[in-house]
Amino acid sequence: MTGPEVPDLVDRIQAEWAKAYPEFDMRPIGILGRIQHIATASSHHLDRQLEPHGVSRSEYDVLGALTRSPRPLRASEVVSTTMLSGASITKITENLARRGLLVRRKSERDGRVVLLEPTDAGRALVDAELPRRLADDEVALSGLTAHERESLTVLLRKVSAAVHG
C-alpha cells in the first residue's frame, strides 16, 4: 500500500521534470499533479459506477444539480452550478428528457425561459447513486483525520480561488 513515505507516480514525474529542467522549481507539479491524478481516478471510477445506469458523468452532474435544487432551474443556472457549457447543457438536457429522466417546460411567467426538473426516474437514479458516490469518497479520504480533512479543505479552497481569479 502506498503511503506518504512511499514515492508515487507524481513523485516520479516530478523528479523526471526536475532532472530534465534543473533550473525550474518543480514543487507545484507535486501538488497540482496529485490533484489532477485524484480527479482523474475519481472520474474514471464514477464513470464505471454510472455505466449500468446508462448515464454519463455530465448527465449525472446535471441530474444532481436539478435534484438538489428546491425548484426547477433555468439552463443558465445549471451551467453555473455544473461548470458545463451552455451548449453542453442543451444537448445533455435534450438527451435526458428523451430518456424520461428530466422534464423541460416553458416558464409560466416568461415563455422564452425553459425550466428543467428531474422526473421521478431521474431523481431515483440520483438517490440510488449518491450513497455509493459518498462511500467511495469516504474511502478515498479514509487516511486523513478530521483535522487533516478540514486543513485540506481550507488549502484547496485557496488554490481554487487563485485558479478562478
Side-chain angles (χ1 to χ4, degrees), residues 64-137:
L66 297 174
T67 299
R68 67 180 182 261
S69 176
R71 61 176 176 71
L73 298 177
R74 294 184 315 273
S76 61
E77 293 173 301
V78 177
V79 167
S80 68
T81 191
T82 61
M83 298 180 281
L84 297 167
S85 71
S88 299
I89 294 298
T90 301
K91 182 178 176 184
I92 289 167
T93 58
E94 287 172 355
N95 287 336
L96 291 171
R98 259 194 312 278
R99 292 171 17 223
L101 297 171
L102 71 75
V103 175
R104 296 167 49 95
R105 61 181 172 77
K106 301 268 185 196
S107 167
E108 292 176 9
R109 289 193 347 205
D110 183 347
R112 298 169 297 175
V113 174
V114 175
L115 296 174
L116 308 168
E117 60 185 319
T119 61
D120 288 344
R123 189 175 300 279
L125 190 153
V126 172
D127 289 349
E129 193 52 41
L130 182 62
R132 180 185 0 245
R133 185 171 186 190
L134 291 172
D136 290 343
D137 291 349

Coordinates of all heavy atoms in Angstrom, one line a residue, residues 64-137:
G64 N -28.0 15.7 -10.8 CA -27.6 16.1 -9.4 C -28.0 17.5 -9.1 O -28.6 17.8 -8.1
A65 N -27.6 18.4 -10.0 CA -27.9 19.9 -9.8 C -29.4 20.1 -9.7 O -29.9 20.8 -8.9 CB -27.4 20.7 -11.0
L66 N -30.2 19.4 -10.6 CA -31.6 19.6 -10.5 C -32.3 18.9 -9.3 O -33.2 19.4 -8.7 CB -32.3 18.9 -11.8 CG -31.8 19.6 -13.1 CD1 -32.4 18.8 -14.3 CD2 -32.3 21.1 -13.2
T67 N -31.7 17.8 -8.9 CA -32.3 17.1 -7.7 C -32.0 17.8 -6.4 O -32.9 17.8 -5.6 CB -31.7 15.6 -7.7 OG1 -32.0 14.9 -8.9 CG2 -32.2 14.9 -6.5
R68 N -30.9 18.4 -6.3 CA -30.6 19.1 -5.0 C -31.2 20.5 -5.0 O -31.3 21.1 -3.9 CB -29.1 19.2 -4.8 CG -28.3 20.0 -5.7 CD -26.8 20.0 -5.3 NE -26.0 20.8 -6.2 CZ -25.3 20.4 -7.2 NH1 -25.3 19.1 -7.5 NH2 -24.7 21.3 -8.0
S69 N -31.8 21.0 -6.1 CA -32.5 22.3 -6.1 C -33.9 22.1 -5.6 O -34.6 21.2 -6.0 CB -32.5 22.9 -7.5 OG -33.2 24.1 -7.5
P70 N -34.4 23.1 -4.8 CA -35.8 23.0 -4.3 C -36.8 23.5 -5.3 O -38.0 23.4 -5.1 CB -35.7 24.0 -3.1 CG -34.7 25.0 -3.4 CD -33.6 24.2 -4.2
R71 N -36.3 23.9 -6.5 CA -37.2 24.4 -7.5 C -36.6 24.1 -8.9 O -35.4 23.8 -9.0 CB -37.4 25.9 -7.4 CG -36.1 26.7 -7.6 CD -36.3 28.2 -7.5 NE -35.0 28.9 -7.6 CZ -34.3 29.0 -8.7 NH1 -34.6 28.4 -9.8 NH2 -33.1 29.7 -8.6
P72 N -37.5 24.1 -10.0 CA -36.9 23.9 -11.3 C -35.9 25.0 -11.6 O -36.0 26.1 -11.1 CB -38.2 24.1 -12.2 CG -39.3 23.8 -11.3 CD -38.9 24.3 -9.9
L73 N -34.9 24.7 -12.4 CA -33.8 25.6 -12.8 C -33.8 25.9 -14.2 O -34.2 25.1 -15.1 CB -32.5 24.9 -12.4 CG -32.2 24.6 -11.0 CD1 -30.8 23.9 -10.9 CD2 -32.2 25.8 -10.1
R74 N -33.4 27.2 -14.5 CA -33.1 27.6 -15.9 C -31.8 26.9 -16.3 O -31.0 26.6 -15.5 CB -33.0 29.1 -16.0 CG -34.3 29.8 -15.7 CD -34.2 31.3 -15.9 NE -33.0 31.9 -15.4 CZ -32.8 32.4 -14.1 NH1 -33.8 32.2 -13.3 NH2 -31.7 32.9 -13.7
A75 N -31.6 26.7 -17.6 CA -30.4 26.1 -18.1 C -29.2 26.9 -17.7 O -28.1 26.3 -17.3 CB -30.4 26.0 -19.7
S76 N -29.3 28.2 -17.6 CA -28.1 29.1 -17.2 C -27.8 28.8 -15.8 O -26.6 28.9 -15.4 CB -28.4 30.6 -17.4 OG -29.6 30.9 -16.6
E77 N -28.7 28.5 -14.9 CA -28.4 28.1 -13.5 C -27.7 26.8 -13.4 O -26.8 26.6 -12.6 CB -29.7 28.1 -12.7 CG -30.4 29.5 -12.6 CD -31.7 29.4 -11.9 OE1 -32.6 28.7 -12.4 OE2 -31.9 30.0 -10.9
V78 N -28.1 25.9 -14.3 CA -27.4 24.6 -14.4 C -26.0 24.7 -14.8 O -25.1 24.1 -14.3 CB -28.2 23.6 -15.2 CG1 -27.4 22.2 -15.3 CG2 -29.6 23.3 -14.7
V79 N -25.8 25.6 -15.8 CA -24.4 25.9 -16.3 C -23.6 26.4 -15.1 O -22.4 25.9 -14.9 CB -24.4 27.0 -17.4 CG1 -23.0 27.5 -17.7 CG2 -25.0 26.4 -18.7
S80 N -24.1 27.3 -14.3 CA -23.3 27.9 -13.2 C -23.0 27.0 -12.1 O -21.9 27.1 -11.4 CB -23.9 29.2 -12.7 OG -25.1 28.8 -12.0
T81 N -23.8 26.0 -11.9 CA -23.5 25.0 -10.8 C -22.8 23.7 -11.2 O -22.3 23.0 -10.4 CB -24.9 24.7 -10.1 OG1 -24.6 24.0 -8.9 CG2 -25.8 23.8 -10.9
T82 N -22.7 23.5 -12.6 CA -22.1 22.3 -13.0 C -20.7 22.5 -13.7 O -20.0 21.6 -13.9 CB -22.9 21.5 -14.0 OG1 -23.2 22.3 -15.2 CG2 -24.2 21.0 -13.4
M83 N -20.5 23.7 -14.1 CA -19.2 24.1 -14.8 C -19.2 23.5 -16.2 O -18.2 23.4 -16.8 CB -18.0 23.7 -14.0 CG -17.9 24.5 -12.7 SD -16.4 24.1 -11.8 CE -16.9 22.5 -11.1
L84 N -20.4 23.1 -16.7 CA -20.5 22.7 -18.1 C -20.9 23.9 -19.0 O -21.5 24.8 -18.5 CB -21.6 21.6 -18.2 CG -21.3 20.3 -17.5 CD1 -22.5 19.4 -17.4 CD2 -20.1 19.5 -18.1
S85 N -20.7 23.8 -20.3 CA -21.0 24.9 -21.2 C -22.5 24.9 -21.5 O -23.2 23.9 -21.3 CB -20.3 24.8 -22.5 OG -20.8 23.7 -23.2
G86 N -23.0 26.1 -21.9 CA -24.4 26.2 -22.3 C -24.8 25.2 -23.4 O -25.9 24.6 -23.3
A87 N -24.0 25.1 -24.4 CA -24.2 24.2 -25.5 C -24.3 22.7 -25.0 O -25.2 22.0 -25.4 CB -23.2 24.3 -26.5
S88 N -23.4 22.4 -24.0 CA -23.5 21.0 -23.5 C -24.7 20.8 -22.7 O -25.4 19.7 -22.8 CB -22.3 20.8 -22.5 OG -21.1 21.0 -23.1
I89 N -25.1 21.8 -21.9 CA -26.4 21.7 -21.1 C -27.6 21.4 -22.0 O -28.4 20.6 -21.7 CB -26.6 22.9 -20.2 CG1 -25.5 23.0 -19.2 CG2 -28.0 22.9 -19.6 CD1 -25.4 21.9 -18.2
T90 N -27.6 22.2 -23.1 CA -28.8 22.0 -24.0 C -28.8 20.6 -24.6 O -29.8 19.9 -24.5 CB -28.7 23.0 -25.2 OG1 -28.7 24.3 -24.7 CG2 -29.8 22.8 -26.2
K91 N -27.7 20.1 -25.0 CA -27.6 18.7 -25.6 C -27.9 17.7 -24.5 O -28.7 16.7 -24.7 CB -26.2 18.5 -26.2 CG -26.1 17.1 -26.8 CD -24.7 17.0 -27.4 CE -24.5 15.6 -28.0 NZ -23.2 15.3 -28.5
I92 N -27.3 17.8 -23.3 CA -27.5 16.9 -22.3 C -28.9 16.8 -21.8 O -29.5 15.8 -21.6 CB -26.6 17.2 -21.1 CG1 -25.1 16.9 -21.5 CG2 -27.0 16.5 -19.8 CD1 -24.1 17.4 -20.5
T93 N -29.5 18.0 -21.6 CA -30.9 18.0 -21.2 C -31.9 17.5 -22.2 O -32.9 16.8 -21.8 CB -31.4 19.5 -20.7 OG1 -31.2 20.4 -21.8 CG2 -30.5 19.9 -19.5
E94 N -31.6 17.7 -23.5 CA -32.5 17.1 -24.5 C -32.4 15.6 -24.4 O -33.4 14.9 -24.5 CB -32.0 17.6 -25.9 CG -32.5 19.0 -26.1 CD -31.9 19.6 -27.4 OE1 -31.1 19.0 -28.1 OE2 -32.3 20.8 -27.7
N95 N -31.2 15.1 -24.3 CA -31.0 13.6 -24.2 C -31.7 13.0 -22.9 O -32.3 12.0 -23.0 CB -29.5 13.2 -24.1 CG -28.8 13.4 -25.4 OD1 -29.4 13.3 -26.5 ND2 -27.5 13.6 -25.4
L96 N -31.5 13.7 -21.8 CA -32.1 13.2 -20.6 C -33.7 13.3 -20.6 O -34.3 12.4 -20.1 CB -31.6 14.1 -19.4 CG -30.2 13.8 -19.0 CD1 -29.7 14.8 -17.9 CD2 -29.9 12.4 -18.5
A97 N -34.2 14.4 -21.3 CA -35.6 14.5 -21.5 C -36.1 13.3 -22.3 O -37.2 12.7 -22.0 CB -36.0 15.8 -22.0
R98 N -35.4 13.0 -23.4 CA -35.9 12.0 -24.3 C -35.9 10.6 -23.6 O -36.7 9.8 -23.9 CB -34.9 11.8 -25.5 CG -35.3 12.4 -26.8 CD -34.5 12.0 -28.0 NE -33.1 12.1 -27.9 CZ -32.4 13.2 -28.0 NH1 -33.0 14.3 -28.3 NH2 -31.1 13.2 -27.9
R99 N -35.0 10.5 -22.6 CA -35.0 9.2 -21.9 C -35.8 9.2 -20.6 O -35.8 8.3 -19.8 CB -33.5 8.9 -21.5 CG -32.8 8.6 -22.8 CD -31.3 8.4 -22.8 NE -30.6 8.2 -21.5 CZ -29.5 8.9 -21.1 NH1 -28.9 9.7 -22.0 NH2 -28.9 8.6 -20.0
G100 N -36.6 10.3 -20.4 CA -37.5 10.3 -19.3 C -36.9 10.6 -18.0 O -37.5 10.3 -16.9
L101 N -35.7 11.2 -18.0 CA -35.0 11.5 -16.7 C -35.2 12.9 -16.2 O -34.9 13.2 -15.1 CB -33.6 11.1 -16.8 CG -33.3 9.6 -17.0 CD1 -31.8 9.4 -17.4 CD2 -33.8 8.8 -15.8
L102 N -35.6 13.8 -17.1 CA -35.9 15.2 -16.7 C -37.0 15.7 -17.6 O -37.3 15.2 -18.7 CB -34.7 16.1 -16.7 CG -34.0 16.5 -18.0 CD1 -34.7 17.6 -18.8 CD2 -32.6 17.1 -17.6
V103 N -37.6 16.8 -17.2 CA -38.7 17.5 -17.9 C -38.2 18.9 -18.2 O -37.7 19.6 -17.4 CB -40.0 17.6 -17.1 CG1 -41.0 18.4 -17.8 CG2 -40.5 16.2 -16.7
R104 N -38.4 19.3 -19.5 CA -38.2 20.6 -19.9 C -39.5 21.3 -20.2 O -40.3 20.8 -21.0 CB -37.4 20.6 -21.2 CG -36.0 20.0 -21.2 CD -35.4 19.7 -22.5 NE -35.4 20.9 -23.4 CZ -34.5 21.7 -23.6 NH1 -33.3 21.6 -23.0 NH2 -34.6 22.7 -24.5
R105 N -39.8 22.4 -19.5 CA -41.0 23.1 -19.8 C -40.9 24.6 -19.8 O -39.9 25.1 -19.2 CB -42.1 22.7 -18.7 CG -41.7 23.0 -17.3 CD -42.9 22.5 -16.4 NE -42.5 22.6 -15.0 CZ -42.4 23.8 -14.3 NH1 -42.8 24.9 -14.9 NH2 -42.0 23.8 -13.0
K106 N -41.7 25.3 -20.5 CA -41.7 26.7 -20.5 C -42.1 27.3 -19.2 O -43.0 26.8 -18.6 CB -42.6 27.2 -21.6 CG -42.3 26.7 -23.0 CD -41.4 27.6 -23.7 CE -41.2 27.1 -25.2 NZ -40.1 27.7 -25.8
S107 N -41.5 28.4 -18.9 CA -41.9 29.2 -17.7 C -43.2 29.8 -17.9 O -43.5 30.3 -19.0 CB -40.8 30.3 -17.4 OG -41.3 31.2 -16.4
E108 N -44.1 29.8 -16.8 CA -45.4 30.4 -17.0 C -45.2 31.9 -17.0 O -46.1 32.6 -17.6 CB -46.2 30.0 -15.8 CG -46.6 28.5 -15.8 CD -47.4 28.1 -14.6 OE1 -47.8 29.0 -13.7 OE2 -47.6 26.9 -14.4
R109 N -44.2 32.5 -16.4 CA -44.0 33.9 -16.3 C -43.4 34.4 -17.6 O -43.7 35.6 -18.0 CB -43.2 34.3 -15.1 CG -43.9 34.1 -13.8 CD -43.2 34.8 -12.6 NE -41.9 35.2 -12.8 CZ -41.0 35.4 -11.9 NH1 -41.3 35.1 -10.7 NH2 -39.8 35.8 -12.1
D110 N -42.5 33.7 -18.2 CA -41.8 34.1 -19.4 C -41.6 32.9 -20.3 O -40.8 32.0 -20.1 CB -40.4 34.7 -19.0 CG -39.7 35.2 -20.2 OD1 -40.1 35.0 -21.4 OD2 -38.7 36.0 -20.0
G111 N -42.4 32.8 -21.4 CA -42.4 31.7 -22.3 C -41.1 31.4 -23.0 O -40.9 30.4 -23.6
R112 N -40.2 32.4 -23.0 CA -38.9 32.2 -23.6 C -38.0 31.4 -22.7 O -37.0 30.9 -23.2 CB -38.3 33.6 -23.9 CG -39.1 34.4 -24.9 CD -38.5 35.8 -24.9 NE -38.7 36.4 -23.6 CZ -38.2 37.6 -23.2 NH1 -37.5 38.4 -24.1 NH2 -38.4 38.1 -22.0
V113 N -38.3 31.3 -21.4 CA -37.4 30.6 -20.5 C -37.9 29.2 -20.4 O -39.0 28.9 -20.2 CB -37.5 31.3 -19.1 CG1 -36.7 30.5 -18.1 CG2 -37.0 32.7 -19.2
V114 N -36.9 28.3 -20.5 CA -37.1 26.8 -20.3 C -36.7 26.4 -18.9 O -35.5 26.7 -18.5 CB -36.4 26.0 -21.4 CG1 -36.5 24.5 -21.1 CG2 -36.9 26.4 -22.7
L115 N -37.6 25.8 -18.2 CA -37.2 25.3 -16.8 C -37.0 23.8 -16.9 O -37.7 23.1 -17.6 CB -38.4 25.7 -15.8 CG -38.6 27.1 -15.6 CD1 -39.9 27.3 -14.8 CD2 -37.4 27.8 -15.0
L116 N -36.1 23.4 -16.1 CA -35.7 22.0 -16.1 C -35.9 21.4 -14.7 O -35.6 22.1 -13.7 CB -34.2 21.9 -16.4 CG -33.7 22.6 -17.7 CD1 -32.2 22.6 -17.7 CD2 -34.3 21.8 -18.9
E117 N -36.4 20.2 -14.6 CA -36.6 19.5 -13.3 C -36.5 18.0 -13.6 O -36.9 17.5 -14.6 CB -37.8 19.9 -12.6 CG -39.1 19.6 -13.3 CD -40.3 20.2 -12.5 OE1 -40.3 20.1 -11.3 OE2 -41.2 20.7 -13.2
P118 N -36.0 17.3 -12.6 CA -35.9 15.8 -12.7 C -37.2 15.2 -12.7 O -38.1 15.6 -12.0 CB -35.0 15.4 -11.6 CG -35.3 16.4 -10.5 CD -35.5 17.7 -11.3
T119 N -37.4 14.1 -13.4 CA -38.6 13.3 -13.2 C -38.4 12.3 -12.0 O -37.3 12.3 -11.5 CB -38.8 12.4 -14.5 OG1 -37.7 11.5 -14.6 CG2 -39.0 13.2 -15.8
D120 N -39.4 11.6 -11.7 CA -39.2 10.6 -10.6 C -38.1 9.6 -10.9 O -37.3 9.3 -10.0 CB -40.5 9.9 -10.3 CG -41.6 10.7 -9.7 OD1 -41.2 11.8 -9.2 OD2 -42.8 10.3 -9.7
A121 N -38.0 9.3 -12.2 CA -36.9 8.3 -12.6 C -35.5 9.0 -12.5 O -34.6 8.3 -12.1 CB -37.1 7.8 -14.0
G122 N -35.4 10.3 -12.9 CA -34.2 11.0 -12.7 C -33.8 11.1 -11.3 O -32.6 10.9 -10.9
R123 N -34.7 11.5 -10.4 CA -34.4 11.6 -9.0 C -34.1 10.2 -8.4 O -33.1 10.1 -7.6 CB -35.7 12.2 -8.3 CG -35.4 12.6 -6.9 CD -36.7 13.3 -6.3 NE -37.0 14.5 -7.0 CZ -36.5 15.6 -6.8 NH1 -35.5 15.8 -5.9 NH2 -36.9 16.7 -7.5
A124 N -34.7 9.2 -8.8 CA -34.4 7.8 -8.3 C -33.0 7.4 -8.7 O -32.3 6.8 -7.9 CB -35.4 6.8 -8.9
L125 N -32.5 7.8 -9.9 CA -31.2 7.5 -10.3 C -30.2 8.2 -9.4 O -29.2 7.6 -8.9 CB -31.0 7.9 -11.7 CG -29.7 7.5 -12.4 CD1 -29.9 7.4 -13.9 CD2 -28.5 8.3 -12.1
V126 N -30.4 9.5 -9.1 CA -29.5 10.2 -8.2 C -29.6 9.6 -6.8 O -28.6 9.4 -6.1 CB -29.8 11.7 -8.2 CG1 -29.0 12.4 -7.1 CG2 -29.6 12.3 -9.5
D127 N -30.8 9.3 -6.3 CA -31.0 8.7 -5.0 C -30.2 7.4 -4.9 O -29.7 7.1 -3.8 CB -32.5 8.4 -4.7 CG -33.3 9.7 -4.5 OD1 -32.7 10.8 -4.3 OD2 -34.5 9.6 -4.5
A128 N -30.2 6.6 -5.9 CA -29.5 5.3 -5.9 C -28.0 5.5 -6.0 O -27.3 4.7 -5.3 CB -30.0 4.5 -7.1
E129 N -27.5 6.4 -6.7 CA -26.1 6.6 -6.9 C -25.4 7.4 -5.8 O -24.2 7.2 -5.5 CB -25.8 7.1 -8.3 CG -24.4 7.0 -8.7 CD -23.8 5.6 -8.7 OE1 -24.5 4.6 -9.0 OE2 -22.6 5.5 -8.2
L130 N -26.0 8.4 -5.3 CA -25.4 9.3 -4.3 C -24.7 8.6 -3.1 O -23.6 8.8 -2.8 CB -26.3 10.4 -3.9 CG -25.7 11.4 -2.9 CD1 -24.6 12.2 -3.6 CD2 -26.8 12.4 -2.4
P131 N -25.4 7.7 -2.5 CA -24.8 7.0 -1.3 C -23.5 6.2 -1.7 O -22.5 6.2 -1.0 CB -25.9 6.0 -0.8 CG -27.2 6.6 -1.3 CD -26.8 7.3 -2.6
R132 N -23.5 5.6 -2.9 CA -22.3 4.9 -3.3 C -21.2 5.9 -3.6 O -20.0 5.6 -3.3 CB -22.6 4.1 -4.6 CG -21.4 3.3 -5.1 CD -21.6 2.5 -6.4 NE -22.9 2.6 -7.0 CZ -23.7 1.6 -7.2 NH1 -23.4 0.4 -6.8 NH2 -24.9 1.7 -7.7
R133 N -21.5 7.0 -4.2 CA -20.5 8.0 -4.5 C -19.9 8.6 -3.2 O -18.7 8.7 -3.1 CB -21.1 9.1 -5.4 CG -20.1 10.1 -5.8 CD -20.7 11.1 -6.8 NE -19.6 12.0 -7.2 CZ -19.8 13.0 -8.0 NH1 -21.0 13.4 -8.3 NH2 -18.8 13.8 -8.4
L134 N -20.7 8.8 -2.3 CA -20.2 9.3 -1.0 C -19.4 8.3 -0.3 O -18.4 8.6 0.3 CB -21.4 9.8 -0.1 CG -22.2 11.0 -0.6 CD1 -23.4 11.2 0.3 CD2 -21.3 12.2 -0.5
A135 N -19.8 7.0 -0.4 CA -19.0 6.0 0.2 C -17.6 5.9 -0.4 O -16.6 5.7 0.2 CB -19.7 4.6 0.2
D136 N -17.6 6.0 -1.7 CA -16.3 5.9 -2.5 C -15.4 7.1 -2.1 O -14.2 7.0 -1.9 CB -16.5 6.0 -4.0 CG -17.2 4.7 -4.5 OD1 -17.1 3.7 -3.8 OD2 -17.7 4.7 -5.7
D137 N -16.0 8.3 -1.9 CA -15.3 9.5 -1.5 C -14.7 9.3 -0.1 O -13.6 9.7 0.2 CB -16.1 10.7 -1.5 CG -16.5 11.2 -3.0 OD1 -15.9 10.6 -3.9 OD2 -17.4 12.1 -3.1

